[in-house]
Amino acid sequence: MDGVREKILDAAGRVFAERGYKSATIRQICQAAEVNVAAVNYYFGDKQQLYLDTVKQAHRRLSAQFPLPPWPEETPPANKLNGFIRAMLARMIGGKATPWEQQLMLREVLHPTNACRELVEEYFRPHLELLLSIVSELLPHGTAAHRQRQVAFSIIGQCLFYRIAGDIVDMLSATDQRQHFTIEQLAEHITRFSLAAISGTSDFDDRDNRARQPTSVS
Amino acid sequence: MDGVREKILDAAGRVFAERGYKSATIRQICQAAEVNVAAVNYYFGDKQQLYLDTVKQAHRRLSAQFPLPPWPEETPPANKLNGFIRAMLARMIGGKATPWEQQLMLREVLHPTNACRELVEEYFRPHLELLLSIVSELLPHGTAAHRQRQVAFSIIGQCLFYRIAGDIVDMLSATDQRQHFTIEQLAEHITRFSLAAISGTSDFDDRDNRARQPTSVS
DNA sequence: ACTTGTTTTAAACAGTTGTTTGAAACGTTT
DNA sequence: AAACGTTTCAAACAACTGTTTAAAACAAGT
């Protein structure tokens, strides 16, 4: 639509997300943006700088598109958790073709580059803090901070899995079971699984080592 | 050491694991293997075929190094689960520098290539089946198959997370909390978390929708 | 020693990569 | 219109890519 700079940024986002930094070529990007090859170097200096600006733009767009949800104060924490999980799953595996912004961010998670630090502070950390606040409401008052983090990571891990290993899950599952892996079904399961885990583990709290022989495994 | 073919395969494994298929160059591989550039094409035909053979070798080595554990028949399922989780975590984030075999497999999970199908059938599926057998012992008799799979994926997801997002976890955690993210601690947490979840969720079984208003979230 | 088949090698090939260049095209200001 | 800074463009550049080649080195078998 508008300026050349914006056209390049948009095309670069899609190409970088699909092919990665190294595999994406400036010529592909410029062809997608319908501009001359020299435009990238003219507006961004070099490929590296274009990539950094692209990642920044991705995080800016995502933050605008998925703002941290303002729940009413009296919302039960269990419902907040369900909403959080649902939103996370929808963001990651929803909308058929995953938006390139998400793909780019995921690439940074897997293989952090220079663009990563800013992403962590301005995007991941706020979301983690929100989840931690929900978890702290569900766990017994005074639960150790690292416990809360472990629980939060367990929840995130369950959601991330289907984003990461979605293709493998498909290959591993019979076609007649695939209907049970919709966003709705998964959000339902992960919420229940995590809530049960939270109310179950909270009992032991700090009485460590309960009925557990070290089971050496090959 | 021995034959040229083996030297190339070994070097290729390390280079492919570190840089990915596209970024890894034949010249890098041959330099690491201390052989001529033409050797790859002479022994393997082309780069693609070398990659396929490399992945095959990775899965062969891993299968040999981490055979499926033969527990005594009477081992309590909870202990089996603990052992499984511990082994999975150790394989993924143990041993300081992750062996290139694991890195290569993970790359296939994230971006499946032609080499993936064989991996799924000969490596991932057997491990999933083992976990499913453990889970089925822990869940109430007659639990639906897709439920068992969801539980299994929740467990795998928790473990995989620290492999996938390890760098981000480090950035997100204060230095004084990092001591709580050892393999031992994590295995302990994930085992407890999952066991509690399993014994908790089994109650509701098939009585769906329990006290849950659809919490729309931005 | 000669032949035969296999392996190794340096050099070259054709194609792609990021980047540069120098001249045109454009839009404003004088 | 002339002059100016900015933007666009086709072409070229040097470096790197996977792959091929043709000659040399090697290791038997005769």
Side-chain angles (χ1 to χ4, degrees):
Chain A
M1 277 296 156
D2 35 12
V4 177
R5 221 188 119 95
E6 282 71 23
K7 280 204 295 185
I8 294 179
L9 269 178
D10 198 69
R14 275 175 282 131
V15 177
F16 276 136
E18 184 180 329
R19 329 226 353 162
Y21 177 76
K22 187 70 189 294
S23 287
T25 77
I26 290 189
R27 283 175 174 82
Q28 287 171 4
I29 294 172
C30 289
Q31 188 170 356
E34 295 174 315
V35 299
N36 189 275
V37 242
V40 161
N41 296 27
Y42 179 76
Y43 282 99
F44 298 90
D46 58 359
K47 187 184 179 183
Q48 170 91 1
Q49 189 57 49
L50 168 62
Y51 180 75
L52 294 180
D53 287 1
T54 305
V55 173
K56 270 186 200 167
Q57 194 208 218
H59 121 70
R60 220 179 306 122
R61 284 202 199 182
L62 275 183
S63 297
Q65 192 177 354
F66 299 101
L68 291 187
W71 279 293
E73 194 52 52
E74 69 279 8
T75 310
N79 286 24
K80 290 191 200 170
L81 182 64
N82 187 29
F84 187 93
I85 290 173
R86 188 181 301 269
M88 190 168 179
L89 279 175
R91 236 178 290 167
M92 296 212 274
I93 60 178
K96 214 68 201 120
T98 313
W100 61 263
E101 291 93 341
Q102 278 290 342
Q103 285 187 58
L104 249 191
M105 308 262 301
L106 185 58
R107 275 190 191 276
E108 279 298 315
V109 171
L110 300 174
H111 303 108
T113 70
N114 299 333
C116 199
R117 225 173 197 92
E118 199 177 339
L119 267 186
V120 168
E121 293 308 324
E122 298 191 23
Y123 191 81
F124 292 116
R125 192 182 293 281
H127 283 262
L128 175 63
E129 296 293 341
L130 172 62
L131 177 56
L132 281 174
S133 77
I134 298 174
V135 166
S136 72
E137 285 189 77
L138 289 162
L139 283 169
H141 199 68
T143 303
H146 73 271
R147 281 271 157 105
Q148 301 186 15
R149 286 184 116 79
Q150 287 174 345
V151 170
F153 288 149
S154 280
I155 293 170
I156 297 175
Q158 289 178 74
C159 298
L160 199 57
F161 173 77
Y162 292 96
R163 176 63 221 270
I164 295 291
D167 296 337
I168 305 293
V169 168
D170 278 354
M171 298 190 206
L172 282 172
S173 302
T175 48
D176 61 315
Q177 288 186 338
R178 222 160 295 182
Q179 50 172 319
H180 297 290
F181 291 94
T182 66
I183 292 185
E184 290 302 310
Q185 303 257 358
L186 291 180
E188 177 73 22
H189 159 73
I190 295 177
T191 303
R192 275 207 221 167
F193 189 90
S194 302
L195 284 178
I198 288 174
S199 47
T201 44
S202 58
D203 302 341
F204 312 127
D205 231 358
D206 266 319
R207 284 183 285 126
D208 252 22
N209 302 74
R210 174 197 63 103
R212 185 177 40 82
Q213 308 99 313
T215 317
S216 88
V217 96
S218 90
Chain B
M1 282 296 158
D2 32 13
V4 176
R5 221 187 119 93
E6 283 70 23
K7 279 204 296 183
I8 295 180
L9 269 178
D10 198 69
R14 276 175 281 130
V15 177
F16 276 136
E18 185 181 328
R19 328 226 354 163
Y21 176 77
K22 187 69 187 295
S23 288
T25 77
I26 291 189
R27 282 176 174 82
Q28 286 170 5
I29 294 172
C30 289
Q31 188 169 355
E34 295 174 315
V35 299
N36 189 278
V37 243
V40 161
N41 295 351
Y42 180 77
Y43 281 99
F44 298 90
D46 59 358
K47 187 185 180 183
Q48 170 91 2
Q49 190 57 50
L50 168 61
Y51 180 75
L52 293 180
D53 287 2
T54 305
V55 173
K56 270 186 201 166
Q57 195 209 214
H59 121 71
R60 219 179 307 122
R61 284 202 198 180
L62 275 183
S63 297
Q65 192 176 354
F66 299 101
L68 291 186
W71 279 292
E73 195 52 51
E74 69 280 9
T75 310
N79 286 26
K80 290 192 200 169
L81 182 65
N82 187 29
F84 186 93
I85 290 172
R86 188 180 302 269
M88 189 167 179
L89 280 175
R91 235 179 291 167
M92 296 213 272
I93 59 178
K96 212 67 199 123
T98 313
W100 60 262
E101 290 94 341
Q102 278 290 342
Q103 284 187 59
L104 250 190
M105 308 261 303
L106 185 57
R107 274 190 191 277
E108 279 299 315
V109 172
L110 300 173
H111 303 108
T113 70
N114 299 334
C116 199
R117 232 183 188 85
E118 197 177 339
L119 267 186
V120 168
E121 293 308 322
E122 298 191 23
Y123 191 80
F124 292 115
R125 194 182 290 282
H127 284 261
L128 175 64
E129 296 295 343
L130 173 62
L131 177 56
L132 280 173
S133 76
I134 298 173
V135 165
S136 73
E137 285 189 76
L138 289 162
L139 283 169
H141 200 67
T143 304
H146 73 271
R147 281 271 158 104
Q148 300 186 15
R149 284 184 117 78
Q150 287 173 344
V151 170
F153 288 149
S154 280
I155 293 169
I156 297 176
Q158 291 178 72
C159 298
L160 199 58
F161 173 77
Y162 293 96
R163 176 63 222 272
I164 295 292
D167 295 338
I168 306 293
V169 168
D170 277 354
M171 298 190 206
L172 282 171
S173 301
T175 48
D176 60 317
Q177 287 185 339
R178 220 160 298 181
Q179 51 173 318
H180 297 290
F181 290 94
T182 65
I183 292 185
E184 289 302 309
Q185 303 258 356
L186 291 179
E188 177 73 22
H189 159 72
I190 295 176
T191 303
R192 275 207 221 166
F193 189 91
S194 302
L195 283 177
I198 287 174
S199 46
T201 44
S202 58
D203 303 342
F204 313 125
D205 233 356
D206 266 318
R207 284 181 287 126
D208 250 24
N209 300 74
R210 171 197 66 102
R212 186 176 40 79
Q213 308 100 312
T215 317
S216 89
V217 96
S218 92

Coordinates of all heavy atoms in Angstrom, one line a residue, chain B residues 46-83:
Chain B
D46 N 24.9 -36.4 -3.2 CA 24.7 -34.9 -3.1 C 24.4 -34.6 -1.6 O 24.3 -35.4 -0.7 CB 23.6 -34.4 -4.0 CG 22.2 -35.1 -3.7 OD1 22.2 -36.0 -2.8 OD2 21.2 -34.8 -4.3
K47 N 24.3 -33.3 -1.4 CA 24.1 -32.8 0.0 C 22.9 -33.4 0.6 O 22.9 -33.8 1.8 CB 24.0 -31.3 -0.1 CG 24.0 -30.6 1.3 CD 23.8 -29.1 1.1 CE 23.8 -28.4 2.5 NZ 23.5 -26.9 2.4
Q48 N 21.8 -33.4 -0.1 CA 20.5 -33.9 0.4 C 20.7 -35.3 1.0 O 20.2 -35.6 2.1 CB 19.5 -33.9 -0.7 CG 18.2 -34.6 -0.4 CD 17.2 -33.6 0.3 OE1 17.4 -32.4 0.4 NE2 16.0 -34.2 0.6
Q49 N 21.3 -36.2 0.2 CA 21.4 -37.6 0.6 C 22.3 -37.7 1.8 O 22.1 -38.5 2.7 CB 22.0 -38.4 -0.6 CG 22.0 -39.9 -0.3 CD 20.6 -40.4 0.0 OE1 19.6 -40.1 -0.7 NE2 20.4 -41.1 1.1
L50 N 23.4 -36.8 1.9 CA 24.3 -36.8 3.0 C 23.4 -36.5 4.3 O 23.6 -37.1 5.3 CB 25.4 -35.8 2.9 CG 26.2 -35.5 4.1 CD1 26.9 -36.8 4.7 CD2 27.2 -34.4 3.9
Y51 N 22.6 -35.5 4.1 CA 21.7 -35.1 5.3 C 20.8 -36.3 5.8 O 20.8 -36.5 7.0 CB 20.9 -33.9 4.9 CG 20.0 -33.4 6.1 CD1 20.6 -32.7 7.1 CD2 18.7 -33.7 6.1 CE1 19.8 -32.3 8.2 CE2 17.9 -33.2 7.1 CZ 18.4 -32.5 8.2 OH 17.7 -32.1 9.2
L52 N 20.2 -36.9 4.8 CA 19.3 -38.0 5.2 C 20.1 -39.1 5.9 O 19.7 -39.6 7.0 CB 18.7 -38.6 3.9 CG 17.7 -37.7 3.2 CD1 17.1 -38.4 1.9 CD2 16.6 -37.3 4.1
D53 N 21.3 -39.5 5.4 CA 22.1 -40.5 6.0 C 22.5 -40.0 7.4 O 22.6 -40.8 8.4 CB 23.3 -40.8 5.2 CG 22.9 -41.6 3.9 OD1 21.7 -41.9 3.8 OD2 23.8 -42.0 3.1
T54 N 22.8 -38.7 7.5 CA 23.2 -38.2 8.8 C 22.1 -38.3 9.9 O 22.4 -38.8 11.0 CB 23.7 -36.7 8.7 OG1 24.6 -36.6 7.7 CG2 24.2 -36.2 10.0
V55 N 20.9 -38.0 9.5 CA 19.8 -38.1 10.4 C 19.6 -39.5 10.8 O 19.4 -39.9 12.0 CB 18.5 -37.5 9.8 CG1 17.3 -37.8 10.7 CG2 18.7 -36.0 9.6
K56 N 19.6 -40.4 9.8 CA 19.5 -41.8 10.2 C 20.5 -42.3 11.2 O 20.2 -43.0 12.1 CB 19.7 -42.7 8.9 CG 18.4 -42.9 8.1 CD 18.6 -43.9 6.9 CE 17.5 -43.7 5.9 NZ 17.9 -44.4 4.6
Q57 N 21.8 -41.9 11.0 CA 22.8 -42.3 11.9 C 22.5 -41.7 13.3 O 22.8 -42.4 14.3 CB 24.2 -41.8 11.4 CG 25.3 -42.4 12.1 CD 26.5 -41.5 12.1 OE1 27.6 -42.0 12.1 NE2 26.4 -40.2 12.3
A58 N 22.0 -40.5 13.3 CA 21.7 -39.8 14.6 C 20.7 -40.7 15.4 O 20.9 -41.0 16.6 CB 21.2 -38.4 14.4
H59 N 19.7 -41.1 14.7 CA 18.6 -41.8 15.4 C 19.1 -43.2 15.8 O 18.8 -43.7 16.9 CB 17.4 -41.9 14.5 CG 16.9 -43.3 14.2 ND1 16.4 -44.1 15.1 CD2 17.0 -44.0 13.0 CE1 16.1 -45.3 14.5 NE2 16.4 -45.2 13.2
R60 N 20.0 -43.8 15.0 CA 20.6 -45.1 15.3 C 21.4 -45.0 16.5 O 21.4 -45.8 17.5 CB 21.4 -45.6 14.1 CG 21.3 -47.1 13.9 CD 22.1 -47.6 12.7 NE 21.8 -46.8 11.5 CZ 22.8 -46.1 10.8 NH1 24.0 -46.1 11.2 NH2 22.5 -45.4 9.7
R61 N 22.3 -43.9 16.6 CA 23.1 -43.8 17.8 C 22.3 -43.5 19.0 O 22.6 -44.1 20.1 CB 24.1 -42.6 17.6 CG 25.2 -42.8 16.6 CD 26.3 -41.8 16.9 NE 27.3 -41.8 15.8 CZ 28.3 -41.0 15.8 NH1 28.6 -40.2 16.8 NH2 29.2 -40.9 14.8
L62 N 21.3 -42.7 18.9 CA 20.5 -42.4 20.1 C 19.8 -43.6 20.6 O 19.7 -43.9 21.8 CB 19.5 -41.3 19.8 CG 20.0 -39.9 19.9 CD1 18.9 -38.9 19.6 CD2 20.6 -39.6 21.3
S63 N 19.2 -44.4 19.7 CA 18.5 -45.6 20.1 C 19.5 -46.5 20.8 O 19.1 -47.2 21.8 CB 18.0 -46.3 18.8 OG 17.0 -45.5 18.2
A64 N 20.7 -46.6 20.4 CA 21.7 -47.4 21.1 C 22.1 -46.9 22.4 O 22.2 -47.6 23.4 CB 22.9 -47.6 20.2
Q65 N 22.2 -45.6 22.5 CA 22.7 -44.9 23.7 C 21.6 -44.9 24.8 O 21.9 -45.0 26.0 CB 23.2 -43.5 23.4 CG 24.0 -42.9 24.5 CD 24.5 -41.5 24.1 OE1 24.4 -41.1 23.0 NE2 25.1 -40.8 25.1
F66 N 20.3 -44.7 24.3 CA 19.2 -44.6 25.3 C 18.2 -45.6 24.9 O 17.1 -45.3 24.4 CB 18.6 -43.2 25.3 CG 19.6 -42.1 25.7 CD1 20.1 -41.3 24.7 CD2 19.8 -41.9 27.0 CE1 21.0 -40.3 25.1 CE2 20.7 -40.9 27.4 CZ 21.3 -40.1 26.4
P67 N 18.4 -46.9 25.2 CA 17.4 -48.0 24.9 C 16.2 -47.8 25.8 O 16.3 -47.3 26.9 CB 18.2 -49.3 25.2 CG 19.2 -48.9 26.2 CD 19.6 -47.5 25.9
L68 N 15.1 -48.3 25.3 CA 13.9 -48.2 26.1 C 14.1 -49.0 27.4 O 14.5 -50.2 27.3 CB 12.7 -48.7 25.3 CG 12.3 -47.8 24.2 CD1 11.0 -48.3 23.5 CD2 12.1 -46.4 24.7
P69 N 13.8 -48.4 28.5 CA 14.2 -49.0 29.8 C 13.3 -50.2 30.1 O 12.1 -50.2 30.0 CB 13.9 -47.9 30.8 CG 12.9 -47.1 30.1 CD 13.1 -47.2 28.7
P70 N 13.9 -51.4 30.5 CA 13.2 -52.6 30.9 C 12.9 -52.6 32.4 O 13.8 -53.1 33.1 CB 14.1 -53.7 30.5 CG 15.5 -53.1 30.5 CD 15.4 -51.6 30.6
W71 N 11.8 -52.0 32.8 CA 11.5 -52.1 34.2 C 11.0 -53.5 34.7 O 10.4 -54.2 33.9 CB 10.4 -51.1 34.6 CG 10.8 -49.7 34.7 CD1 11.6 -49.2 35.7 CD2 10.5 -48.6 33.8 NE1 11.8 -47.8 35.4 CE2 11.1 -47.4 34.3 CE3 9.7 -48.5 32.7 CZ2 11.0 -46.2 33.7 CZ3 9.6 -47.2 32.1 CH2 10.3 -46.1 32.6
P72 N 11.3 -53.8 35.9 CA 10.7 -55.0 36.5 C 9.2 -54.8 36.4 O 8.6 -53.7 36.6 CB 11.2 -55.0 37.9 CG 12.0 -53.8 38.1 CD 12.3 -53.2 36.8
E73 N 8.5 -55.9 36.2 CA 7.0 -55.9 36.0 C 6.3 -55.3 37.1 O 5.3 -54.6 36.9 CB 6.5 -57.4 35.8 CG 5.2 -57.5 35.2 CD 5.0 -56.7 34.0 OE1 5.9 -56.8 33.1 OE2 4.1 -55.8 33.9
E74 N 6.8 -55.4 38.4 CA 6.0 -55.0 39.5 C 6.3 -53.5 39.9 O 5.8 -53.0 40.9 CB 6.3 -55.9 40.7 CG 7.7 -55.7 41.3 CD 8.7 -56.5 40.5 OE1 8.3 -57.0 39.4 OE2 9.9 -56.7 41.0
T75 N 7.1 -52.8 39.1 CA 7.4 -51.4 39.4 C 6.1 -50.6 39.5 O 5.3 -50.7 38.5 CB 8.4 -50.8 38.4 OG1 9.5 -51.7 38.2 CG2 8.9 -49.4 38.8
P76 N 5.9 -49.8 40.5 CA 4.7 -48.9 40.6 C 4.8 -48.0 39.4 O 5.8 -47.4 39.1 CB 4.9 -48.2 41.9 CG 5.9 -48.9 42.7 CD 6.8 -49.6 41.7
P77 N 3.6 -47.7 38.8 CA 3.6 -46.8 37.6 C 4.1 -45.4 37.9 O 4.7 -44.8 37.1 CB 2.1 -46.8 37.2 CG 1.4 -47.4 38.4 CD 2.3 -48.3 39.1
A78 N 3.9 -45.0 39.1 CA 4.3 -43.6 39.5 C 5.9 -43.6 39.4 O 6.4 -42.6 39.0 CB 3.9 -43.3 40.9
N79 N 6.5 -44.6 39.8 CA 8.0 -44.6 39.7 C 8.4 -44.7 38.3 O 9.4 -44.1 37.9 CB 8.5 -45.8 40.5 CG 8.5 -45.6 42.0 OD1 7.6 -44.8 42.5 ND2 9.3 -46.3 42.8
K80 N 7.7 -45.5 37.5 CA 8.0 -45.5 36.1 C 7.9 -44.2 35.5 O 8.8 -43.7 34.7 CB 7.1 -46.5 35.3 CG 7.2 -48.0 35.7 CD 6.4 -48.8 34.7 CE 6.2 -50.2 35.2 NZ 5.2 -50.9 34.3
L81 N 6.9 -43.5 35.8 CA 6.7 -42.1 35.2 C 7.9 -41.2 35.6 O 8.4 -40.5 34.8 CB 5.4 -41.5 35.7 CG 5.1 -40.1 35.2 CD1 4.9 -40.2 33.6 CD2 3.9 -39.5 35.8
N82 N 8.2 -41.3 36.9 CA 9.3 -40.5 37.4 C 10.6 -40.8 36.6 O 11.3 -39.9 36.1 CB 9.6 -40.7 38.9 CG 10.6 -39.8 39.4 OD1 10.8 -38.7 38.9 ND2 11.3 -40.2 40.5
G83 N 10.8 -42.1 36.4 CA 12.0 -42.5 35.6 C 12.0 -42.0 34.2 O 13.0 -41.5 33.6

